[in-house]
């Protein structure tokens, strides 16, 4: 392995950052050796209505997994994000909202956010929603998305955000799984001038649920102004509901371990997992990581270009920045609309200091050469962040040179929905960078590599990434399925949390994430389970059997390669291929649309016991059919030959 170029911390950054390398090393050591002392001090960043006396009570022992932090303390997340800032920040902008169309914009101050959160919280209470009830939020990137999360937090309701790009079916299954009483949505969502009818989707989802529909009310925000079907007695206009409500609402005192939210994510089986986060530990961790990783300082303008439908939006658009009293940009649209200059224009317009985005967005811009930065100044930028997938060195250099003008450290942040916040990352003032490496653990995080038998890999080496002890932001369970939680994360390797990712550790102890080691795809930074797509495919009348694998894709990181066996009597055709792509798009989401669909009329390669040999399918999809490895266990080797001859990726 050649030595990667080291990018030391630039002096201008070092001199103003929260921690230097020496401080990082000392604090890290303290966080590992005396976690109770360390975290009890760090938790003072929040305001607690009842102080905690216990700090950490956790066990990774299979059958008895428990994760409790600050368990006898009480606090309210919305108070920490709003009320306590008002004496000093009432008129400070919390969100500079930039609409899908340039020129459409709005500023929301801390006072305005507080007022609206209280009104919605009161409105929800008036509809009978209370502590512990689940509320599904199906919204685009508009300020009311943050309002809705915080209003739930204020009254102790548990929010479950469903990404606005998801289909009615995906929405319905998430509503049923957590038994939501209320849905908050909008007439339409706009992204890159494309409209999605969120309210219509909600109607379809609820109609499909029939008698099992647990939803009593749907709150509808009038965003675009499109007409909707109004269901008398069930639907409520947001503006009418709020008009009757006072701008004050007593916050519900929450135990630190009371649930704050559920967020569904794909696993390696078909059923999405309801990742559950609680209040105290999550907020301590989101707030602390936001401050240190992005070196957020008072007066900075921070922009996380993620969507609130993903965990990045929860922790680094809503909870972390607001807990820190930050001013953020919130963007409704996409990086390439109306042109590839949009990101640079927004940075210049709001004088953004910290930009946090995903490698897939960078690659989409990079494909246009200089155009995305032509005519832009970008000198306000100080720190750049990356999240969602490994950032390839080409994208890293483009980001660093073209967007960051060579002066801005890139924090490549590795984490997961399950981890609540960033676990492996550089700190801008402390860490020399290597393009493509997420570098070192954050405070309190103990990563390790294990081989497939579970033996710890010491020093330099490669293996499965596990975390050997708990941190406050860790998920607590899978909603309604603690057994699946234990099986998924704690049964593969005894006594440790298994991330599902592979990684390498180099001579400096830096971590290089190498991707998922399970049947989870990472498409443009979004997780999709292959099983989920497969079960959708076989639900189509033309398909007998399907197998889905990832393959290298220039922009998306991974593309979706689908092998399908038609039912007897079905003749594959281009039209049918199109119909199948549209089917998956409609049933799951545009993100899940197959890139390549290969017909396998002679069937899929299987072992004699009938297991599909995905290893072989992955090789064919990657155009690496000369490295198929051992195929002696195949039931019928001629199937492979046919698939290789008709393969669709020849790059
Ligand atoms: C935050 C988020 C988690 C999975 C994770 C890993 C991949 C995220 C990464 C990264 C390499 C990074 N991932 N950040 N891989 N380098 N900086 O993305 O959460 O949607 O749950 O996805 O994404 O594979 O396991 P989530």
């Amino acid at each position: 392995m050649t030595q990667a170029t080291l990018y030391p911390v630039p002096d201008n950054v070092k001199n103003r950052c929260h921690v230097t390398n020496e401080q990082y090393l000392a604090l890290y050591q303290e966080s590992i050796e005396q976690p109770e002392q360390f975290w009890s001090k760090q938790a003072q960043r929040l305001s607690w209505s009842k102080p905690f006396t216990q700090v950490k009570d956790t066990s990774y022992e299979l059958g008895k997994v428990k994760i409790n932090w600050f368990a006898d303390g009480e606090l309210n997340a919305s108070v920490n994000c709003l009320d306590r800032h008002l004496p000093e920040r009432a008129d400070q902008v919390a969100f500079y909202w930039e609409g899908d169309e340039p020129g459409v914009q709005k500023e929301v101050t801390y006072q305005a956010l507080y007022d609206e959160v209280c009104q919605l919280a009161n409105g929800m209470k008036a509809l009978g929603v209370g502590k512990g009830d689940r509320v599904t939020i199906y919204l685009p990137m508009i300020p009311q998305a943050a309002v809705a999360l915080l209003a739930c937090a204020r009254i102790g309701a548990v929010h479950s955000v469903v990404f606005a790009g998801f289909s009615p079916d995906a929405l319905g299954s998430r509503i049923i799984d957590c038994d939501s009483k209320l849905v908050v949505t909008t007439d339409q969502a706009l992204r890159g001038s494309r409209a999605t009818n969120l309210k219509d989707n909600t109607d379809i989802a609820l109609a499909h649920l029939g008698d099992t529909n647990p939803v009593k009310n749907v709150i509808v925000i009038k965003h675009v102004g499109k007409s909707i079907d109004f269901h008398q007695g069930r639907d409520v206009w947001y503006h009418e509901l709020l008009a009757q409500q006072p701008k004050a609402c007593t916050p519900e005192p929450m135990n630190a371990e009371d649930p704050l939210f559920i967020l569904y994510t794909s696993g390696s089986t078909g059923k999405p997992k309801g990742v559950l986060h609680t209040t105290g530990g999550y907020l301590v961790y989101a707030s602390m990581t936001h401050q240190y990783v992005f070196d957020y300082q008072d007066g900075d303008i921070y922009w996380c270009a993620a969507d609130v439908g993903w965990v990045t939006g929860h922790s680094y658009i809503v909870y972390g920045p607001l807990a820190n009293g930050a001013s953020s940009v919130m963007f409704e649209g996409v990086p390439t609309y109306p042109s590839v200059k949009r990101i640079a224009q927004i940075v210049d317009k709001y004088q953004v200091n910290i930009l946090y985005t995903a490698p897939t967005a960078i690659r989409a811009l990079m494909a246009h050469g200089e155009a995305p930065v032509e005519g832009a100044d970008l000198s306000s930028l100080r720190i750049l962040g990356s999240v969602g997938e490994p950032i390839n060195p080409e994208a890293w250099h483009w980001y660093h040179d073209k967007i960051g003008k060579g002066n801005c450290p890139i924090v490549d942040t590795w984490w997961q929905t399950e981890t609540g916040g960033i676990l492996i990352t550089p700190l801008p003032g402390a860490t020399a960078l290597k393009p493509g490496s997420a570098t070192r653990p954050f405070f309190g995080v103990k990563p390790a590599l294990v081989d497939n038998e579970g033996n710890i890999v010491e020093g330099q080496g490669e293996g499965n990434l596990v975390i050997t002890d708990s941190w406050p932001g860790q998920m607590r369970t899978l909603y309604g399925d603690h057994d699946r939680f234990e099986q998924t994360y704690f049964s593969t390797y005894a006594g440790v949390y298994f991330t599902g990712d592979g990684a390498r550790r180099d001579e400096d102890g830096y971590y290089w994430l190498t991707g998922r080691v399970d049947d989870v795809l990472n498409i443009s930074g979004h997780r999709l389970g292959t099983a989920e797509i497969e079960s959708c495919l076989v639900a189509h009348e033309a398909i007998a059997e399907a197998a889905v694998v990832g393959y290298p894709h220039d922009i998306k990181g991974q593309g979706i390669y689908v092998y399908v066996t038609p039912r007897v009597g079905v003749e594959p055709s281009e039209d049918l291929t199109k119909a199948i792509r549209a089917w998956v798009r409609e049933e799951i989401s545009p993100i899940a649309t197959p890139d390549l669909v290969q017909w396998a009329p002679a069937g899929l390669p299987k072992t004699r016991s009938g297991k599909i040999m995905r290893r072989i399918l992955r090789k064919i999809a990657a155009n690496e059919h000369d490295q198929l490895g051992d195929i002696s266990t195949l039931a019928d080797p001629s199937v492979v030959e046919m698939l290789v001859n008709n393969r669709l990726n020849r790059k």
Side-chain angles (χ1 to χ4, degrees), residues 263-266 275 310-312 316 356 359 386-391 411-419 421-422 424 436-438 497 499-502 512-518 520-522 525-527:
L263 185 56
Y264 288 88
T265 188
S266 297
V275 169
W310 311 113
V311 73
T312 307
Y316 299 113
Y356 190 29
S386 172
V387 60
E389 56 178 312
I391 180 164
V411 287
D412 175 2
T413 63
W414 177 86
W415 61 295
Q416 313 177 295
T417 306
E418 292 88 338
T419 69
I422 296 163
I424 302 183
S437 171
Y497 166 79
T499 65
D501 279 4
W512 299 72
L513 279 301
T514 52
R516 302 286 307 190
V517 294
D518 54 10
V520 174
L521 305 179
N522 190 329
H526 302 314
R527 273 164 70 165

